[in-house]
Amino acid sequence: MGPIQQFTPKQLRERYETVLEENTYQGILFPRIHEEYKRSCAAEYTPAGLEAFRRARLEEALRHAGEHVPHYRALIARNRVADPLGTLRALPLLDKETVRKDPDGLLSGTLQPDRCRVASTSGTSGIPLRFVVDEDHLVHTYAARVRMAVRFTDRLHYKLLMPYQGWLQGGWFEYVAPGFGLARMAEFGTTAPPGPEDGDLAVRASAYAPDIVFGHPSSCLRLATALAATGRSITPRAVMTFGERLLPGARETLAQAYGAPVTDSYGMREFGTIAAQCAQDAYHIEAERLWVEVVDAEGVPRPLGERGELVVSNLVNRAMPLLRYRTGDVGALDPEPCGCGSPFPVLRLIEGRETSGVTLPSGRTVSGGEFSRVVRTRPVARFQLALYGDELLELRVLPAGYAELDTERLAEELTLLVAGELPVRVREVRAGEFAGSGERKHVDIVRLPADEA
Ligand SMILES: [Zn+2]
């Protein structure tokens, strides 16, 4: 394995310890995860039955928020009507900026700190955001994930491989994850560009023989390439992707390379998986625990089938309820029931952060997520990519200030990512210098005329 370039061995050891502690905690939750998994598998909803179930959950979520969450107290008292969906739709949209500025206002007065977890996300826009989830939220999100995996493995015991994990800068790490059923997990990462180190990792992945490969499409592709280059293969039962748009070409390549079905999911750190593909490749919303709306710029719901911004409400998490939370992604609710027979509503992802990528002169597209993964491990408070015509790619960064930002090194790595097809410049800017956009709240990539460079 290559050297760890940004963490000291001690820091990496501490991160391992954190993951192991988290998995011990998942072990404590496992009886509840298993119970929820069994319940959700056994629930045979009619469309009307599912609707009644989630409306009851929505009503309870709104009642709790109105009574115990400062941010919502007056809002819900003012807007409450008999139909919980009417009450929800009268609430203003919640954006990341509000969560960032007033996180305490969104915390429940009933919150039990020892039964919650604090998570944070850099978001694709690079602005750090912290949020709190409770055990019910964790139990439900883990149970949903177990259901997704067991569809392919038929049992709770299986081996899962997460390739090219950004946090794991170098090396290979294995443990047992009760939050994935009772899966044996292996994760690996590297800070090296594609090269000899990938060969070592491919040999190890092949020996590990995972039942499921679980990762970003670009990471699963990189592993497939490395396996082919070393003449090794693995035969998983499924490749499960998330985090980036899965383009049709990538899906086909993955299916061929691994000889296994490829299934994708759409989610956010704030909510976990929001929608996951069925056997017919439709994205079914996890509607028992999330309410997804498609809205216009004023927050008014769009008719079924019409596009708009996706906003999500968590029906389960009481610690820090996010209601009508803006995703910045664009999609539509499918008016037709899915051919697979599931009553869970289908989301059509029309475009969003995953389609915002940079198409290089060669025709290859580098996704916003791939850029984000290079940038977000740096001391950067916020960033944005500006593409000047087809001539220059500029990374605008707001340094976080807690450590020196090596802009030259950053520019080198970005140049590597675009394989030198475009010149890259890294420019430090102030908060006000980020360009805004119309439809999406947080833009990652702005396109500007070449002569403005
Ligand atoms: Zn379906």
Side-chain angles (χ1 to χ4, degrees), residues 121-400:
T121 170
S122 65
T124 43
S125 55
I127 310 170
L129 185 66
R130 288 162 71 82
F131 48 93
V132 182
V133 294
D134 62 20
E135 287 184 355
D136 277 342
H137 170 91
L138 292 171
V139 163
H140 281 77
T141 52
Y142 293 146
R145 208 164 54 182
V146 172
R147 218 168 45 239
M148 282 161 63
V150 173
R151 203 181 115 202
F152 298 101
T153 63
D154 295 325
R155 60 177 60 149
L156 296 172
H157 301 265
Y158 56 95
K159 284 195 281 183
L160 189 143
L161 176 66
M162 296 183 79
Y164 299 102
Q165 289 289 92
W167 75 271
L168 196 59
Q169 294 183 347
W172 182 283
F173 182 38
E174 289 185 32
Y175 54 93
V176 170
F180 274 84
L182 290 167
R184 181 74 185 164
M185 300 280 292
E187 302 184 41
F188 67 80
T190 173
T191 53
E197 198 176 324
D198 290 68
D200 300 343
L201 292 165
V203 168
R204 196 148 182 188
S206 167
Y208 177 72
D211 298 299
I212 288 178
V213 178
F214 183 67
H216 294 281
S218 57
S219 302
C220 297
L221 282 168
R222 183 170 170 179
L223 176 61
T225 306
L227 284 161
T230 50
R232 307 281 171 143
S233 66
I234 54 177
T235 51
R237 290 162 180 260
V239 178
M240 294 170 62
T241 57
F242 63 92
E244 293 164 359
R245 184 178 169 83
L246 179 65
L247 299 169
R251 168 189 289 276
E252 206 165 292
T253 308
L254 288 172
Q256 279 182 12
Y258 292 102
V262 178
T263 189
D264 187 43
S265 62
Y266 161 71
M268 293 174 88
R269 192 72 70 83
E270 290 88 326
F271 298 108
T273 301
I274 294 170
Q277 283 189 317
C278 67
Q280 299 194 9
D281 296 344
Y283 290 86
H284 287 276
I285 295 168
E286 294 199 352
E288 288 175 298
R289 61 179 195 86
L290 301 172
W291 199 292
V292 177
E293 297 173 87
V294 174
V295 302
D296 65 17
E298 273 71 53
V300 178
R302 304 279 294 144
L304 276 182
E306 291 189 23
R307 58 180 273 163
E309 183 178 348
L310 305 176
V311 298
V312 183
S313 300
N314 194 324
L315 307 182
V316 172
N317 184 29
R318 297 284 182 266
M320 186 176 181
L322 302 179
L323 301 173
R324 307 200 90 206
Y325 184 75
R326 300 185 64 165
T327 65
D329 291 327
V330 177
L333 292 170
D334 203 321
E336 302 298 326
C338 183
C340 75
S342 164
F344 284 71
V346 170
L347 190 60
R348 273 191 278 138
L349 292 160
I350 293 169
E351 67 176 55
R353 51 204 163 127
E354 58 271 74
T355 54
S356 65
V358 173
T359 302
L360 303 174
S362 66
R364 182 168 74 95
T365 298
V366 181
S367 71
E370 289 174 82
F371 286 110
S372 176
R373 266 179 285 139
V374 172
V375 181
R376 70 187 177 197
T377 54
R378 312 305 171 93
V380 166
R382 188 175 172 186
F383 69 90
Q384 184 173 66
L385 285 159
L387 186 62
Y388 294 95
D390 290 323
E391 294 179 13
L392 175 74
L393 182 64
E394 180 182 79
L395 178 74
R396 298 169 176 180
V397 291
L398 177 67

Side-chain angles (χ1 to χ4, degrees), residues 23-155:
N23 282 287
T24 305
Y25 176 67
Q26 287 179 14
I28 294 164
L29 294 183
F30 185 74
R32 293 179 57 198
I33 297 170
H34 189 254
E35 191 182 343
E36 169 58 19
Y37 159 71
K38 296 296 260 188
R39 183 204 65 79
S40 62
C41 288
E44 285 181 14
Y45 290 113
T46 59
L50 176 61
E51 193 64 12
F53 180 90
R54 59 201 299 251
R55 266 181 199 249
R57 276 197 171 170
L58 176 61
E59 190 161 18
E60 185 54 26
L62 289 166
R63 188 198 59 74
H64 176 272
E67 283 178 19
H68 301 292
V69 182
H71 177 84
Y72 288 116
R73 198 167 285 140
L75 282 173
I76 289 178
R78 196 160 60 228
N79 293 304
R80 191 188 295 281
V81 291
D83 178 9
L85 191 52
T87 308
L88 180 74
R89 286 175 172 170
L91 293 177
L93 300 182
L94 177 66
D95 58 23
K96 292 184 171 70
E97 214 40 50
T98 306
V99 180
R100 192 168 290 113
K101 281 189 184 139
D102 184 27
D104 292 354
L106 284 157
L107 293 179
S108 165
T110 61
L111 183 150
Q112 296 174 271
D114 59 332
R115 307 194 72 171
C116 288
R117 282 294 183 263
V118 178
S120 71
T121 170
S122 65
T124 43
S125 55
I127 310 170
L129 185 66
R130 288 162 71 82
F131 48 93
V132 182
V133 294
D134 62 20
E135 287 184 355
D136 277 342
H137 170 91
L138 292 171
V139 163
H140 281 77
T141 52
Y142 293 146
R145 208 164 54 182
V146 172
R147 218 168 45 239
M148 282 161 63
V150 173
R151 203 181 115 202
F152 298 101
T153 63
D154 295 325
R155 60 177 60 149

